[in-house]
Amino acid sequence: MKTANAFTLTRVVLAPVFFVLYFIPIWTGQFSGISAYVLIPLLAFMEFTDFLDGYFARKHHEVSDFGKLFDPFADVIVHLTTFTCFMTSYGPDIKSYLPPVIFILIVYREFSMNFLRMIASKKGTAIAARKGGKLKTVFYVATGFICLIPESAVRLYYAKAGSVPEIITVIVQNYPVWKIVALVMFLVSLALSYISFIDYLVHFRGVFQNKK
């Protein structure tokens, strides 16, 4: 397997690991402290592999039509997995960073985009990421960390029964503010996702209109 594709595959494999680690404390009431320490580094590593696959694809001249399809597929797997997690939060009360209506609209966009990629692929065109799509991805990633900071703080706060650094207490006390910021980021991400989708439709309209 090419080095670039191996890094892409790493994201696909780690996405369900993230899901399980996120929900184990919610399902069992145990290991909240461990998850608090692991989730942010795990997400950071997954997103870093996105940089690595592109870097090695260019360095080793491994850019391929398959990679142009596999990379965005892996991104979708990671982001939809993390967004699914953010519809639930650990704590004495069930909370949510992401309203279901925003999530389902993002799902519709991502599946529609993958459908367009399949159509273009059958016609011999590989749709690579455009600037609008890359900007959308940046907001997806940033939103993920904005959700994980208060989420990890809440988990650590209850795991340590209050004996935590002051910064953790401050984050927990301002939890409602973090939720508002997260909601705004999700709304911006949603808007960017559809703007970029329209951009792809316009830019590749010749491919989609081709009857052959």
Side-chain angles (χ1 to χ4, degrees):
M1 178 181 290
K2 295 180 179 179
T3 304
N5 292 337
F7 280 116
T8 305
L9 180 61
T10 299
R11 291 206 300 287
V12 176
V13 172
L14 289 180
V17 174
F18 181 94
F19 180 88
V20 172
L21 291 176
Y22 187 97
F23 276 102
I24 280 179
I26 296 174
W27 294 333
T28 67
Q30 305 293 323
F31 310 112
S32 61
I34 295 175
S35 68
Y37 288 117
V38 171
L39 289 174
I40 290 179
L42 179 57
L43 180 61
F45 179 73
M46 287 194 294
E47 298 298 351
F48 185 53
T49 63
D50 192 16
F51 162 77
L52 291 176
D53 63 26
Y55 172 79
F56 282 103
R58 292 186 295 271
K59 181 179 180 180
H60 295 166
H61 305 290
E62 296 177 348
V63 176
S64 64
D65 288 345
F66 174 78
K68 291 178 181 179
L69 293 174
F70 192 31
D71 180 58
F73 169 77
D75 288 343
V76 169
I77 292 294
V78 170
H79 296 142
L80 291 187
T81 298
T82 56
F83 287 3
T84 298
C85 294
F86 298 146
M87 288 193 290
T88 307
S89 174
Y90 179 85
D93 301 312
I94 298 298
K95 310 177 185 71
S96 170
Y97 302 95
L98 174 59
V101 63
I102 297 179
F103 175 76
I104 198 64
L105 288 173
I106 289 176
V107 170
Y108 290 160
R109 185 275 181 193
E110 296 299 339
F111 275 84
S112 297
M113 190 65 228
N114 278 350
F115 179 67
L116 294 184
R117 291 184 190 278
M118 287 190 294
I119 293 175
S121 178
K122 288 185 68 68
K123 296 183 178 182
T125 300
I127 299 180
R130 289 175 54 77
K131 289 182 179 179
K134 292 179 180 179
L135 179 61
K136 176 268 299 181
T137 299
V138 169
F139 270 81
Y140 277 13
V141 174
T143 304
F145 286 109
I146 285 175
C147 292
L148 277 184
I149 290 173
E151 180 64 20
S152 296
V154 167
R155 292 170 183 235
L156 192 60
Y157 182 83
Y158 286 105
K160 298 294 185 179
S163 58
V164 294
E166 184 177 354
I167 184 62
I168 299 297
T169 303
V170 171
I171 293 174
V172 172
Q173 290 174 343
N174 289 278
Y175 184 86
V177 176
W178 285 93
K179 283 189 63 177
I180 292 173
V181 174
L183 177 60
V184 171
M185 289 294 291
F186 276 121
L187 287 171
V188 174
S189 297
L190 176 64
L192 290 174
S193 71
Y194 276 89
I195 290 172
S196 65
F197 181 70
I198 293 172
D199 175 64
Y200 282 111
L201 285 175
V202 172
H203 186 79
F204 292 98
R205 63 184 180 276
V207 176
F208 303 131
Q209 291 172 354
N210 187 355
K211 301 296 185 180
K212 296 182 181 180

